[in-house]
Amino acid sequence: MSPELREVYAELLQRAPENRIEPDLSRITRVMELMGDPQQSYRSIRIAGTNGKTTTARILERILREAGLRTGRTTSPHLHSPVERIAIDGHPIDEEGFLQAYRDVEPFAAIVDAESEAAGGVRLTYFEYLTAMAFQAFASAPVDVAVVETGLGGTWDATGAVDPDVAVVTPISLDHQDYLGDTIAQIAGEKAGILTARATAIIANQPYQDAGDVLRDRIAELGAEAAIEDQQIGVLARTPGVGGQMLSLQGIAGRYDEVFLSLLGEHQARNALLAVAAAEALLGDGSTALDGELLHAALSTSTSPGRSEVVRQAPTVLLDAAHNPAGALTLVETVRENFRFTRTVGLVGILEEKDAEEILSVLESLLDQVVITQSSSPRAIPADRLADLARDVFEDEDRVSEQASLPDAIQIAVDLAESEGDQFGGVVVAGSVTLAAEVRDLLGVPDEE
């Protein structure tokens, strides 16, 4: 990261942080208005949900590029650099592009900041400013379509400045209860805020009936077109294989057999299904099937760094940004389906606002041993405190190791996986996006280009 980018990123971080939202669309709406509403110059697809948003966005964007469209993509949070949050044609914008987008927004942000503070409000938040930058960068490119991942919730999320052609809702579970509500129904109500009368709704099969009920009621209220997993669309079959899985999918407009997806886990097959349906809705209004060769080319080359990603062999190191109980459960199921580790060692670090006890409880059934550590995030639970909680959950002190230094923790986990001459041990890294990113860095995994 160049000195100038570090300075700009520090200025962004001085605004309300990403994990703090100000539930009001007036600031982002005003800054977009002052800028001439650049987000209205291209079509858009908006994605909300608790888990699976980023991967769904990446697969969808890959399909649209294969179809010949110029694409923009916003995802959050980033793994290594803030430039990852704004991608054009499948690649993060370069540092100069990021800085230019910042400068393009700056004079208008100053006006909105002043207006808001004069009225007793707050400045544009970090996420609002980044969202404005993305929308401006897409218009400058220019792109044909933007794939936009929400930050938190949906109703008040800054990405609501777009009027989407397609709205996708991935599985909803408990997370960010301090902002979204204490119940599944309340959280689903917030996420249902991305649905509109004009946007075709693509809805994942929901693990909680309350979430499904809220979404269906909202769709009926709006009179919107909808494709719901296991009703109009579905994963018909899948066969796990080396480096991915073979799928048969029923989309809105067609059936697609023997399509290889280069990602592991049932959840990734379902993410691919949502992406296929969203692409059908955008490209052919849901009435024209996608070209089979196009779909094969897109799905067989899709990537999702930090999501069920193998980053080392001998021993295998698998890392996942699983940061809530639902994500942890999905990770456990993916490891059991795709790997036959004779010894499974966890490397776990979790952030303060997360349900650490429940995440550890889910992982406990998978792990023979766990190494508790912490990332460099100021929100990371200190390793000693998290280790105390892990000892209670694992009910056996010999299964829990503690090492605050992440490089040392990685080495301990690798040594444990290989202990007693075990040739088929594996390390599973989980607990937070920041932990996954820092392990990738330390193991020398290349950044996305």
Side-chain angles (χ1 to χ4, degrees), residues 430-444:
S432 78
V433 174
T434 53
L435 181 70
E438 290 175 15
V439 171
R440 286 181 104 253
D441 277 341
L442 290 165
L443 294 181

Side-chain angles (χ1 to χ4, degrees), residues 241 243-245 261-268 308 310 318 334 338-339:
Q245 53 193 310
L261 174 66
S262 55
L263 299 169
L264 302 174
E266 180 182 5
H267 64 298
Q268 300 291 35
S308 298
V310 175
L318 177 79
T334 300
N338 292 278
F339 301 92

Side-chain angles (χ1 to χ4, degrees), residues 20 51 71 101 114 122 130-131 139 169 186 210 241 244 253-254 276 292 320 324 383 440:
R20 189 183 121 207
N51 292 306
T71 59
V122 301
L130 279 169
T131 299
V169 182
Q186 288 174 325
D210 284 355
V276 167
D320 194 278
N324 54 44
R440 286 181 104 253

